[in-house]
Amino acid sequence: NAGVMQNPRHLVRRRGQEARLRCSPMKGHSHVYWYRQLPEEGLKFMVYLQKENIIDESGMPKERFSAEFPKEGPSILRIQQVVRGDSAAYFCASSPGQFPMSPLHFGNGTRLTVT
Amino acid sequence: DAKTTQPTSMDCAEGRAANLPCNHSTISGNEYVYWYRQIHSQGPQYIIHGLKNNETNEMASLIITEDRKSSTLILPHATLRDTAVYYCIVVLTGTASKLTFGTGTRLQVTL
């Protein structure tokens, strides 16, 4: 049973470009969470999605960031017009049912570097 | 969600049991206690969780006091690969529940 798959593992973008981060949850998991970890800091919640719905986006910056989890395919975190401050590790987690009755399982992240 | 207090760092000799404490004195009856760890540059790894009873799995044991105001994560035979930051997190049940990570305990396992 494959774990949560994130790709790419490393992504380099120039300032002003777009970054697309993909997350394939574990098989049978319909709940997806995105977290961001800035260098030398802890993980911060960004957004919680179920299939085709955003449940909680209280941690998402209001501009340039968006997330989706379509009926088919992976969840996508999209960052438009990236800036140097967006450089971070972005982690995705999934669960089969409602958290916290079911634990979240994390992927190994995408490390975004903005040059 | 209830706040948790953990020591900043701990050391443990390889092969010995590592006992990581966590205080959550304001926990309510429908809040779970969760433990995760993060090994450098990897994603957080789920360890164990519980509501009221003690729990054990292949990785660890979770001991929750009767009044639920504190808990201890026990790694029975620590190895060098258990060196990581360990997070104790209390989570309220609800439709939009999420993990909120604090600063955790940095466990260093030594030879």
Side-chain angles (χ1 to χ4, degrees):
Chain A
N1 187 14
V4 176
M5 303 300 291
Q6 291 188 248
N7 67 79
R9 287 298 308 275
H10 300 275
L11 182 61
V12 180
R13 285 286 178 265
R14 292 198 190 96
R15 277 180 298 170
Q17 291 185 318
E18 178 179 289
R20 279 183 182 243
L21 288 63
R22 295 176 191 78
C23 169
S24 296
M26 291 177 70
K27 188 176 181 180
H29 288 199
S30 59
H31 301 248
V32 165
Y33 298 72
W34 285 93
Y35 284 77
R36 177 167 66 173
Q37 188 168 33
L38 295 169
E40 306 303 321
E41 292 189 16
L43 289 110
K44 303 292 185 192
F45 167 79
M46 297 183 75
V47 62
Y48 164 34
L49 311 102
Q50 288 183 9
K51 281 290 187 181
E52 299 185 274
N53 292 306
I54 295 174
I55 307 301
D56 180 355
E57 56 181 345
S58 58
M60 286 273 274
K62 292 286 184 280
E63 296 178 354
R64 302 188 297 109
F65 285 72
S66 63
E68 62 177 12
F69 188 17
K71 189 175 179 181
E72 301 290 339
S75 176
I76 305 288
L77 180 68
R78 183 180 176 209
I79 311 172
Q80 295 178 291
Q81 299 175 311
V82 296
V83 300
R84 287 222 172 102
D86 297 332
S87 294
Y90 292 82
F91 294 98
C92 169
S94 72
S95 67
Q98 194 171 312
F99 177 74
M101 287 70 77
S102 299
L104 300 190
H105 297 273
F106 283 80
N108 276 329
T110 293
R111 275 144 191 86
L112 173 65
T113 302
V114 179
T115 62
Chain B
D1 295 339
K3 182 180 168 58
T4 62
T5 305
Q6 299 178 253
T8 304
S9 63
M10 293 181 63
D11 291 333
C12 179
E14 189 177 33
R16 304 296 292 269
N19 297 296
L20 290 89
C22 180
N23 285 324
H24 31 78
S25 58
T26 60
I27 194 170
S28 64
N30 55 350
E31 286 183 301
Y32 282 78
V33 179
Y34 260 83
W35 283 86
Y36 277 80
R37 71 181 182 185
Q38 189 174 25
I39 297 169
H40 181 63
S41 78
Q42 296 181 20
Q45 180 185 22
Y46 165 72
I47 302 173
I48 200 165
H49 74 285
L51 185 60
K52 294 179 181 175
N53 300 321
N54 298 336
E55 302 288 344
T56 295
N57 62 22
E58 64 278 3
M59 286 184 69
S61 295
L62 172 61
I63 308 298
I64 303 174
T65 57
E66 196 167 334
D67 63 7
R68 303 185 70 242
K69 293 186 176 184
S70 66
S71 60
T72 301
L73 177 74
I74 301 172
L75 307 179
H77 306 286
T79 71
L80 296 177
R81 285 184 292 183
D82 292 321
T83 294
V85 178
Y86 287 77
Y87 297 96
C88 169
I89 305 167
V90 173
V91 188
L92 183 66
T93 57
T95 57
S97 298
K98 55 185 181 279
L99 283 169
T100 302
F101 289 83
T103 53
T105 295
R106 184 170 297 276
L107 175 68
Q108 181 70 52
V109 180
T110 57
L111 289 171

